[in-house]
Amino acid sequence: MATYTVTNAVAGVPVGLKPQLVEVVLDFSTTNIVAGTDVVQAIEMNANTLVLMAGVEILTAGGAGSLIDLGDTDDDLWVSDLDGNTANGVEMSATPKLYTAADTIDLSADTADFAGKVRVFALMVELGAGETAAAFA
């Protein structure tokens, strides 16, 4: 069994990429999210981005019976059926996902139109192309 040492990865030297918290506040008081049809592409990301977690905070209640989802092509990957009629309600999930192509994190309403205000947030790391391999000996 061989032992390999990665060079240039020494304590005290910044190594690796830093995660960033991305957030957006969306106010639907003048334009509601129509349940079952509207999708709001809330956060865009580049190819080769690792999303570590994402969530939604209800800042202003948005209507009885409105349930909020947050996801991508899987519409409730991070948030499923958050009660949109409860101010200060928060739901998040630490479900990591690697996006090899550019994509968006999407907000939608399930059962009733939503007319409130939300904060959508995600902790992500842009990994880049990864073209340069680490040297080892």
Side-chain angles (χ1 to χ4, degrees):
M1 180 167 130
T3 300
Y4 297 97
T5 303
V6 176
T7 58
N8 297 323
V10 181
V13 176
V15 176
L17 303 167
K18 307 287 186 265
Q20 58 182 331
L21 180 64
V22 179
E23 69 172 17
V24 62
V25 174
L26 304 169
D27 187 348
F28 298 102
S29 60
T30 58
T31 304
N32 299 351
I33 300 177
V34 177
T37 61
D38 288 350
V39 174
V40 178
Q41 296 179 330
I43 297 175
E44 296 179 312
M45 67 195 92
N46 294 325
N48 298 318
T49 296
L50 175 62
V51 176
L52 300 170
M53 59 83 60
V56 175
E57 176 186 10
I58 306 294
L59 301 173
T60 305
S66 59
L67 300 175
I68 303 299
D69 288 342
L70 187 70
D72 50 19
T73 54
D74 176 0
D75 68 341
D76 58 2
L77 177 63
W78 291 291
V79 173
S80 178
D81 296 340
L82 173 61
D83 184 355
N85 202 36
T86 304
N88 301 317
V90 177
E91 186 176 330
M92 64 191 96
S93 173
T95 304
K97 183 170 181 181
L98 175 62
Y99 290 88
T100 56
D103 207 333
T104 58
I105 295 176
D106 304 332
L107 183 77
S108 60
D110 268 352
T111 55
D113 295 356
F114 179 75
K117 186 175 180 181
V118 299
R119 177 189 332 269
V120 177
F121 54 91
L123 183 62
M124 58 181 63
V125 180
E126 289 189 22
L127 300 177
E131 297 168 2
T132 304
F136 63 94

